[in-house]
Amino acid sequence: MNEWFFNTLNEQYSLVRICSSGDMGEVSQLRHKMHGRNIIKRVYRGTDSTYKILHALPHPNIPKIYEVIFDNDTVTILEEYIEGLTISDILDSGLYKESGVITIISSLCDALDILHENGIVHRDIKPENVMIDNSGIVKLIDYSAAKIYKPHRSQDTQALGTAGYAAPEQFGIAQSDRRVDIYALGILMNVMLTKEYPSKLFYQGRLTKTIDKCTQLDPNKRYQNVTELKNDLPKEI
């Protein structure tokens, strides 16, 4: 079955570029030889079933997962290719206004709501992992650091995340749960508004209290779910 899949993939698609390659695995862009459609191929070592769950969770703010193939200790994912810009790309040319931040964070809350309800914690929310497609739809991408929350564990088996955006508990203090994504959303908001982490320059404005509550070191003092956060975002700017 797997041999047939990989043979068919190689026959029908050609490599466009290697997007990234490292210890976490390899991400590449492929193009269908006949139809010209682009897809993303992710290959990484492991047996985690996060992408299997994502495959069954169609949502406008989450990339479509077309195939998930397990082959011994390697997972291959075929994923929707998104035409657009990341928040990181947009920040290269200037800052966001509060209204823009609210729109994007609201969409991210919608994506995270369905993820969290299905036990998935993203664990790597940052400007490079949030895309705005050419239709203006927000997409939360790259689930290579995502995990399935297991209530019986006291801490993560592996420390993953991006420095500056990762909550303290992601570094062995406790198990990551949905509140680490809320912490990262707070950091992301501050960066979108100032290009700096809150520790260096804390944003002052209508989103100050929201950012502060998201980024509390004690997870019990943060918003406890993304619905609570979304409902607390200012409605008029």
Side-chain angles (χ1 to χ4, degrees):
M1 172 63 180
N2 288 351
E3 184 178 355
W4 174 87
F5 169 81
F6 290 117
N7 287 339
T8 302
L9 184 66
N10 292 331
E11 288 173 3
Q12 294 185 353
Y13 286 87
S14 58
L15 176 66
V16 177
R17 65 188 176 103
I18 303 294
C19 303
S20 63
S21 182
D23 294 339
M24 294 292 292
E26 183 175 279
V27 182
S28 55
Q29 178 186 346
L30 307 181
R31 179 175 294 128
H32 196 281
K33 294 176 182 177
M34 182 177 295
H35 304 300
R37 184 183 73 160
N38 291 303
I39 62 170
I40 291 294
K41 176 186 173 186
R42 298 181 185 274
V43 181
Y44 67 92
R45 300 183 71 82
T47 57
D48 184 79
S49 59
T50 301
Y51 274 97
K52 272 291 188 185
I53 298 175
L54 290 173
H55 183 261
L57 291 179
H59 190 279
N61 303 118
I62 298 173
K64 295 183 182 71
I65 306 300
Y66 302 124
E67 296 283 352
V68 181
I69 302 296
F70 294 93
D71 186 33
N72 295 322
D73 61 349
T74 302
V75 186
T76 300
I77 300 102
L78 301 186
E79 178 183 315
E80 173 187 13
Y81 176 78
I82 301 167
E83 295 275 2
L85 297 172
T86 66
I87 287 180
S88 180
D89 295 329
I90 296 168
L91 285 173
D92 285 340
S93 59
L95 297 173
Y96 275 85
K97 294 182 179 179
E98 285 188 336
S99 57
V101 172
I102 290 170
T103 297
I104 289 173
I105 296 300
S106 179
S107 293
L108 291 176
C109 284
D110 291 340
L112 289 167
D113 185 42
I114 191 169
L115 294 176
H116 293 167
E117 285 300 312
N118 285 273
I120 297 175
V121 185
H122 188 279
R123 292 202 297 178
D124 200 20
I125 297 171
K126 57 185 178 181
E128 293 83 358
N129 285 343
V130 181
M131 289 197 70
I132 317 299
D133 74 12
N134 289 343
S135 299
I137 298 174
V138 177
K139 302 276 189 178
L140 179 59
I141 66 171
D142 193 352
Y143 294 81
S144 58
K147 58 159 279 185
I148 298 172
Y149 177 71
K150 296 178 174 61
H152 61 279
R153 287 188 179 169
S154 60
Q155 63 185 50
D156 293 346
T157 56
Q158 185 178 12
L160 290 174
T162 299
Y165 294 89
E169 57 268 34
Q170 288 180 249
F171 299 102
I173 297 174
Q175 185 188 180
S176 300
D177 62 23
R178 63 182 65 186
R179 295 171 295 181
V180 305
D181 289 339
I182 289 170
Y183 180 93
L185 287 178
I187 302 293
L188 179 64
M189 282 189 272
N190 201 86
V191 170
M192 291 171 73
L193 292 161
T194 68
K195 288 191 181 180
E196 300 288 354
Y197 298 128
S199 58
K200 186 172 182 180
L201 176 63
F202 204 104
Y203 178 73
Q204 299 300 313
R206 294 188 65 187
L207 285 169
T208 299
K209 290 183 179 179
T210 307
I211 294 170
D212 182 61
K213 188 167 184 178
C214 285
T215 57
Q216 290 292 308
L217 296 181
D218 182 351
N220 292 317
K221 293 181 179 180
R222 300 174 202 152
Y223 296 103
Q224 298 302 289
N225 56 68
V226 289
T227 299
E228 184 183 344
L229 166 56
K230 184 176 178 179
N231 289 339
D232 203 37
L233 291 170
K235 300 300 185 291
E236 297 179 4
I237 296 295

